[in-house]
Amino acid sequence: MLIELHLLQSFPVSNLNRDDLGQPKTARFGGFTRARVSSQSLKRAARRLFTQNGLQDSDMGIRTKRLRDGAAELLKDRGRNADQSVELCQAALAELGFKPNTSTGLTEYLLFVGSAAQQELADYCEQRWDDLTKAVEEAKKKKEEAKKKNQKEKETASSRKAGPAKAAKVKPSKERLEAARRILDGSRAADIGLFGRMVADNTDFNVNGASQVAHALSTHAVVNEFDYYTALDDLRPDAEPAADMIGTVDFNAACFYRYANLDLGQLEKNLEGDAELAARAARAWLLSFIHAVPSGKQNSMAARTVPHTLLGVVREDGAWNLANAFLKPVSDVPDLMAASTEFLVRHFQQTRSFYGDAQIRHTTFAALDGDTRGFSDSEVAADLDDFVVRLLTATKG
């Protein structure tokens, strides 16, 4: 069973999602430049709303490179020596196959783990305290021996340019893999179940996300613009005119088509059959994606809008991204949102008519202006609560 969300949302002057030059992201689509907001940006914006929409902190995962430090802090709270705790947590991560940087202790990439991961790593270190202590001492001894050996050798150019050292990659034993599985366990983390994760060092720990999210694209062509600004020093003498700071900020204004879907069966599988958590996660996903707005340049532009047009579909299988409704951009119209809604509805109905709707269990539509042409009265939601309830109810039975 899948839930699909199709949203039309207009933003005024904004720079929600910047590229490496600080400009709003764009993409060529249908032969025209469109405004774009990346799927990653939208997922993060939605994830930050999950706890406002029915999930608890304990239901959420943690994305971090600093697993060592969190676990070491717990060990210190248990009365262990602080410096030794850091060393042993680092050694534990290395033998579990995550090769932290020997200088910073950061793992090579962000690990997406359950909220209990730091506790599990601390427990692992407690259980193997003596063995890890011995391993740390041996590593120090080898490092000192190597240092003495190299003192008489001239450093090569490559060694002078080398970055911080990393621990050699270790292939964990079967027992270590089981321990790593416990530490990385995401079966109680709704956001891991929703968005999945990739662990480069061991694909057995990968999770296939239950939600797919498209990059948002403008329904029309855009040209990025820039705002020229100046700033004055409050203590500048009146006799000294001119600006004390000059700069530019890039922006655009666009009506976006947003699409995301959620596979409820995959979600429950990822959460190891916990139907109650899966149901709360599905509701949080719906509400959070509807309200998701990236944080880029919001302090200076306050582009805090909500979707105008909402189309929700519950289906047994398959998925339809309706972006091709705007392959030919909306243009030369007095009401951009009304025209975009018309394009979307027409494309959906044409697709449904041609390909059939046997897999579609339920359709719900809503528009802020009340224009619901193209849908029967039974398919129209009165408000947001009704929209969400209709979709969730249709997934049952």
Side-chain angles (χ1 to χ4, degrees):
M1 193 76 64
L2 284 88
I3 300 176
E4 291 185 298
L5 270 181
H6 307 270
L7 308 173
L8 291 176
Q9 187 169 1
S10 180
F11 288 96
V13 171
S14 57
N15 189 345
L16 302 172
N17 187 208
R18 288 167 277 179
D19 63 17
D20 57 336
L21 300 177
Q23 300 174 342
K25 290 184 177 179
T26 59
R28 294 282 292 180
F29 181 64
F32 294 84
T33 300
R34 312 297 183 98
R36 177 173 66 92
V37 176
S38 72
S39 58
Q40 183 177 0
S41 175
L42 290 167
K43 284 190 282 188
R44 176 167 174 77
R47 182 171 173 257
R48 289 165 67 90
L49 296 175
F50 283 169
T51 55
Q52 298 178 29
N53 291 308
L55 292 176
Q56 306 297 319
D57 288 338
S58 58
D59 298 325
M60 300 289 288
I62 301 170
R63 290 169 61 91
T64 184
K65 290 183 176 182
R66 295 171 171 80
L67 200 54
R68 178 200 73 173
D69 294 342
E73 192 66 26
L74 291 175
L75 289 170
K76 187 179 75 170
D77 292 342
R78 298 176 186 178
R80 296 288 191 176
N81 177 272
D83 292 337
Q84 189 179 13
S85 295
V86 170
E87 290 178 338
L88 266 59
C89 286
Q90 179 147 325
L93 285 170
E95 75 173 19
L96 292 172
F98 300 114
K99 55 175 185 181
N101 185 294
T102 56
S103 298
T104 65
L106 302 180
T107 52
E108 191 173 12
Y109 46 83
L110 287 167
L111 292 173
F112 201 2
V113 296
S115 59
Q118 296 172 80
Q119 178 82 37
E120 290 288 347
L121 179 57
D123 290 345
Y124 177 82
C125 291
E126 288 270 32
Q127 293 164 9
R128 302 200 64 253
W129 191 269
D130 292 339
D131 291 337
L132 288 171
T133 300
K134 182 178 179 181
V136 168
E137 292 303 319
E138 289 178 352
K140 287 181 178 179
K141 184 178 179 181
K142 289 180 180 179
K143 183 178 179 180
E144 186 62 30
E145 290 173 351
K147 183 179 178 180
K148 290 180 180 178
K149 181 179 178 181
N150 292 332
Q151 278 179 345
K152 297 179 180 179
E153 298 178 1
K154 186 177 180 181
E155 291 184 348
T156 63
S158 59
S159 65
R160 285 196 299 269
K161 295 179 180 179
K166 295 179 181 179
K169 186 174 180 179
V170 175
K171 185 176 181 180
S173 64
K174 182 178 179 180
E175 292 75 15
R176 301 289 176 267
L177 284 174
E178 285 303 315
R181 197 179 305 279
R182 289 195 303 273
I183 293 168
L184 266 66
D185 179 43
S187 62
R188 293 297 307 168
D191 47 352
I192 294 178
L194 287 165
F195 299 139
R197 74 174 175 204
M198 185 186 77
V199 179
D201 288 321
N202 194 325
T203 57
D204 289 341
F205 299 145
N206 289 354
V207 177
N208 292 323
S211 176
Q212 297 176 333
V213 183
H215 290 239
L217 288 174
S218 66
T219 64
H220 53 92
V222 298
V223 176
N224 284 345
E225 304 176 68
F226 65 89
D227 175 40
Y228 171 83
Y229 68 87
T230 63
L232 300 179
D233 187 332
D234 289 340
L235 302 181
R236 175 183 55 83
D238 294 338
E240 297 180 11
D244 295 285
M245 181 178 179
I246 297 173
T248 60
V249 176
D250 295 273
F251 69 89
N252 60 31
C255 173
F256 286 94
Y257 167 67
R258 297 172 49 204
Y259 171 75
N261 65 48
L262 174 61
D263 184 331
L264 296 172
Q266 184 67 46
L267 176 61
E268 190 163 336
K269 177 183 176 181
N270 289 348
L271 299 178
E272 295 189 349
D274 190 331
E276 187 273 335
L277 178 56
R280 286 193 292 114
R283 184 178 185 277
W285 177 89
L286 266 173
L287 288 168
S288 298
F289 261 102
I290 290 170
H291 288 294
V293 176
S295 59
K297 288 291 182 181
Q298 288 289 11
N299 284 350
S300 56
M301 298 183 183
R304 299 286 183 178
T305 65
V306 292
H308 174 279
T309 301
L310 303 88
L311 171 60
V313 179
V314 176
R315 56 195 307 142
E316 302 288 347
D317 197 8
W320 293 343
N321 182 323
L322 301 177
N324 282 342
F326 312 105
L327 194 61
K328 178 182 178 181
V330 179
S331 62
D332 299 324
V333 293
D335 189 333
L336 182 61
M337 180 59 76
S340 297
T341 300
E342 181 183 346
F343 278 39
L344 178 67
V345 173
R346 182 170 65 243
H347 184 68
F348 174 67
Q349 300 296 15
Q350 289 173 342
T351 305
R352 180 158 67 169
S353 175
F354 183 84
Y355 286 99
D357 59 2
Q359 294 179 331
I360 296 178
R361 173 181 285 201
H362 176 81
T363 301
T364 295
F365 182 79
L368 292 186
D369 61 6
D371 187 350
T372 58
R373 284 175 292 179
F375 294 93
S376 65
D377 291 343
S378 64
E379 294 178 310
V380 176
D383 53 32
L384 179 59
D385 286 341
D386 186 30
F387 181 85
V388 171
V389 168
R390 282 167 173 260
L391 290 176
L392 294 178
T393 301
T395 65
K396 300 174 182 177

PDB file of all heavy atoms in Angstrom, residues 80-95:
ATOM      1  N   ARG A  80      33.997   6.184  34.823  1.00  0.00           N
ATOM      2  CA  ARG A  80      35.230   5.827  34.126  1.00  0.00           C
ATOM      3  C   ARG A  80      36.063   7.072  33.849  1.00  0.00           C
ATOM      4  O   ARG A  80      35.549   8.186  33.748  1.00  0.00           O
ATOM      5  CB  ARG A  80      34.899   5.128  32.802  1.00  0.00           C
ATOM      6  CG  ARG A  80      34.180   3.797  32.954  1.00  0.00           C
ATOM      7  CD  ARG A  80      35.109   2.727  33.469  1.00  0.00           C
ATOM      8  NE  ARG A  80      34.513   1.388  33.370  1.00  0.00           N
ATOM      9  CZ  ARG A  80      35.131   0.263  33.683  1.00  0.00           C
ATOM     10  NH1 ARG A  80      36.383   0.301  34.126  1.00  0.00           N
ATOM     11  NH2 ARG A  80      34.525  -0.912  33.581  1.00  0.00           N
ATOM     12  N   ASN A  81      37.375   6.857  33.691  1.00  0.00           N
ATOM     13  CA  ASN A  81      38.275   7.953  33.368  1.00  0.00           C
ATOM     14  C   ASN A  81      37.908   8.542  32.010  1.00  0.00           C
ATOM     15  O   ASN A  81      37.702   7.812  31.038  1.00  0.00           O
ATOM     16  CB  ASN A  81      39.715   7.433  33.341  1.00  0.00           C
ATOM     17  CG  ASN A  81      40.709   8.503  32.932  1.00  0.00           C
ATOM     18  OD1 ASN A  81      40.968   8.679  31.747  1.00  0.00           O
ATOM     19  ND2 ASN A  81      41.264   9.203  33.920  1.00  0.00           N
ATOM     20  N   ALA A  82      37.828   9.873  31.937  1.00  0.00           N
ATOM     21  CA  ALA A  82      37.348  10.534  30.724  1.00  0.00           C
ATOM     22  C   ALA A  82      38.253  10.262  29.521  1.00  0.00           C
ATOM     23  O   ALA A  82      37.780   9.881  28.443  1.00  0.00           O
ATOM     24  CB  ALA A  82      37.218  12.032  30.965  1.00  0.00           C
ATOM     25  N   ASP A  83      39.563  10.461  29.689  1.00  0.00           N
ATOM     26  CA  ASP A  83      40.488  10.274  28.561  1.00  0.00           C
ATOM     27  C   ASP A  83      40.528   8.820  28.108  1.00  0.00           C
ATOM     28  O   ASP A  83      40.556   8.530  26.908  1.00  0.00           O
ATOM     29  CB  ASP A  83      41.894  10.734  28.950  1.00  0.00           C
ATOM     30  CG  ASP A  83      41.970  12.238  29.153  1.00  0.00           C
ATOM     31  OD1 ASP A  83      41.109  12.950  28.593  1.00  0.00           O
ATOM     32  OD2 ASP A  83      42.880  12.698  29.868  1.00  0.00           O
ATOM     33  N   GLN A  84      40.525   7.915  29.076  1.00  0.00           N
ATOM     34  CA  GLN A  84      40.555   6.502  28.722  1.00  0.00           C
ATOM     35  C   GLN A  84      39.263   6.087  28.016  1.00  0.00           C
ATOM     36  O   GLN A  84      39.282   5.270  27.089  1.00  0.00           O
ATOM     37  CB  GLN A  84      40.765   5.645  29.967  1.00  0.00           C
ATOM     38  CG  GLN A  84      41.021   4.173  29.642  1.00  0.00           C
ATOM     39  CD  GLN A  84      41.257   3.325  30.877  1.00  0.00           C
ATOM     40  OE1 GLN A  84      40.996   3.760  32.007  1.00  0.00           O
ATOM     41  NE2 GLN A  84      41.753   2.113  30.673  1.00  0.00           N
ATOM     42  N   SER A  85      38.153   6.678  28.425  1.00  0.00           N
ATOM     43  CA  SER A  85      36.867   6.363  27.789  1.00  0.00           C
ATOM     44  C   SER A  85      36.886   6.744  26.319  1.00  0.00           C
ATOM     45  O   SER A  85      36.400   5.997  25.456  1.00  0.00           O
ATOM     46  CB  SER A  85      35.727   7.090  28.507  1.00  0.00           C
ATOM     47  OG  SER A  85      35.575   6.626  29.824  1.00  0.00           O
ATOM     48  N   VAL A  86      37.464   7.902  26.023  1.00  0.00           N
ATOM     49  CA  VAL A  86      37.563   8.344  24.634  1.00  0.00           C
ATOM     50  C   VAL A  86      38.416   7.370  23.831  1.00  0.00           C
ATOM     51  O   VAL A  86      38.058   6.969  22.714  1.00  0.00           O
ATOM     52  CB  VAL A  86      38.147   9.771  24.558  1.00  0.00           C
ATOM     53  CG1 VAL A  86      38.486  10.142  23.121  1.00  0.00           C
ATOM     54  CG2 VAL A  86      37.163  10.780  25.142  1.00  0.00           C
ATOM     55  N   GLU A  87      39.553   6.973  24.395  1.00  0.00           N
ATOM     56  CA  GLU A  87      40.463   6.062  23.693  1.00  0.00           C
ATOM     57  C   GLU A  87      39.794   4.714  23.420  1.00  0.00           C
ATOM     58  O   GLU A  87      39.909   4.162  22.316  1.00  0.00           O
ATOM     59  CB  GLU A  87      41.724   5.852  24.521  1.00  0.00           C
ATOM     60  CG  GLU A  87      42.627   7.073  24.611  1.00  0.00           C
ATOM     61  CD  GLU A  87      43.833   6.825  25.484  1.00  0.00           C
ATOM     62  OE1 GLU A  87      43.788   5.913  26.339  1.00  0.00           O
ATOM     63  OE2 GLU A  87      44.846   7.533  25.320  1.00  0.00           O
ATOM     64  N   LEU A  88      39.084   4.201  24.397  1.00  0.00           N
ATOM     65  CA  LEU A  88      38.479   2.880  24.237  1.00  0.00           C
ATOM     66  C   LEU A  88      37.288   2.911  23.280  1.00  0.00           C
ATOM     67  O   LEU A  88      37.082   1.961  22.515  1.00  0.00           O
ATOM     68  CB  LEU A  88      38.058   2.321  25.598  1.00  0.00           C
ATOM     69  CG  LEU A  88      39.112   1.413  26.274  1.00  0.00           C
ATOM     70  CD1 LEU A  88      40.419   2.176  26.501  1.00  0.00           C
ATOM     71  CD2 LEU A  88      38.584   0.862  27.590  1.00  0.00           C
ATOM     72  N   CYS A  89      36.532   3.999  23.311  1.00  0.00           N
ATOM     73  CA  CYS A  89      35.421   4.119  22.361  1.00  0.00           C
ATOM     74  C   CYS A  89      35.946   4.199  20.931  1.00  0.00           C
ATOM     75  O   CYS A  89      35.356   3.630  20.007  1.00  0.00           O
ATOM     76  CB  CYS A  89      34.572   5.346  22.678  1.00  0.00           C
ATOM     77  SG  CYS A  89      33.530   5.153  24.147  1.00  0.00           S
ATOM     78  N   GLN A  90      37.062   4.886  20.768  1.00  0.00           N
ATOM     79  CA  GLN A  90      37.661   4.970  19.443  1.00  0.00           C
ATOM     80  C   GLN A  90      38.162   3.600  18.999  1.00  0.00           C
ATOM     81  O   GLN A  90      37.976   3.200  17.834  1.00  0.00           O
ATOM     82  CB  GLN A  90      38.810   5.973  19.451  1.00  0.00           C
ATOM     83  CG  GLN A  90      39.503   6.110  18.110  1.00  0.00           C
ATOM     84  CD  GLN A  90      40.015   7.511  17.856  1.00  0.00           C
ATOM     85  OE1 GLN A  90      39.399   8.481  18.269  1.00  0.00           O
ATOM     86  NE2 GLN A  90      41.123   7.611  17.169  1.00  0.00           N
ATOM     87  N   ALA A  91      38.792   2.877  19.902  1.00  0.00           N
ATOM     88  CA  ALA A  91      39.285   1.539  19.570  1.00  0.00           C
ATOM     89  C   ALA A  91      38.123   0.602  19.258  1.00  0.00           C
ATOM     90  O   ALA A  91      38.216  -0.249  18.359  1.00  0.00           O
ATOM     91  CB  ALA A  91      40.101   0.988  20.738  1.00  0.00           C
ATOM     92  N   ALA A  92      37.031   0.755  19.987  1.00  0.00           N
ATOM     93  CA  ALA A  92      35.855  -0.093  19.750  1.00  0.00           C
ATOM     94  C   ALA A  92      35.280   0.146  18.357  1.00  0.00           C
ATOM     95  O   ALA A  92      34.963  -0.798  17.630  1.00  0.00           O
ATOM     96  CB  ALA A  92      34.800   0.185  20.816  1.00  0.00           C
ATOM     97  N   LEU A  93      35.156   1.392  17.970  1.00  0.00           N
ATOM     98  CA  LEU A  93      34.644   1.704  16.637  1.00  0.00           C
ATOM     99  C   LEU A  93      35.556   1.137  15.545  1.00  0.00           C
ATOM    100  O   LEU A  93      35.086   0.635  14.525  1.00  0.00           O
ATOM    101  CB  LEU A  93      34.497   3.214  16.462  1.00  0.00           C
ATOM    102  CG  LEU A  93      33.303   3.857  17.174  1.00  0.00           C
ATOM    103  CD1 LEU A  93      33.403   5.382  17.123  1.00  0.00           C
ATOM    104  CD2 LEU A  93      31.992   3.399  16.544  1.00  0.00           C
ATOM    105  N   ALA A  94      36.861   1.206  15.789  1.00  0.00           N
ATOM    106  CA  ALA A  94      37.818   0.686  14.804  1.00  0.00           C
ATOM    107  C   ALA A  94      37.657  -0.820  14.631  1.00  0.00           C
ATOM    108  O   ALA A  94      37.645  -1.334  13.511  1.00  0.00           O
ATOM    109  CB  ALA A  94      39.244   1.027  15.224  1.00  0.00           C
ATOM    110  N   GLU A  95      37.524  -1.548  15.740  1.00  0.00           N
ATOM    111  CA  GLU A  95      37.417  -2.998  15.616  1.00  0.00           C
ATOM    112  C   GLU A  95      36.048  -3.437  15.119  1.00  0.00           C
ATOM    113  O   GLU A  95      35.868  -4.557  14.652  1.00  0.00           O
ATOM    114  CB  GLU A  95      37.766  -3.681  16.937  1.00  0.00           C
ATOM    115  CG  GLU A  95      36.728  -3.597  18.010  1.00  0.00           C
ATOM    116  CD  GLU A  95      37.102  -4.452  19.226  1.00  0.00           C
ATOM    117  OE1 GLU A  95      38.290  -4.803  19.369  1.00  0.00           O
ATOM    118  OE2 GLU A  95      36.201  -4.764  20.020  1.00  0.00           O
TER     119      GLU A  95
END
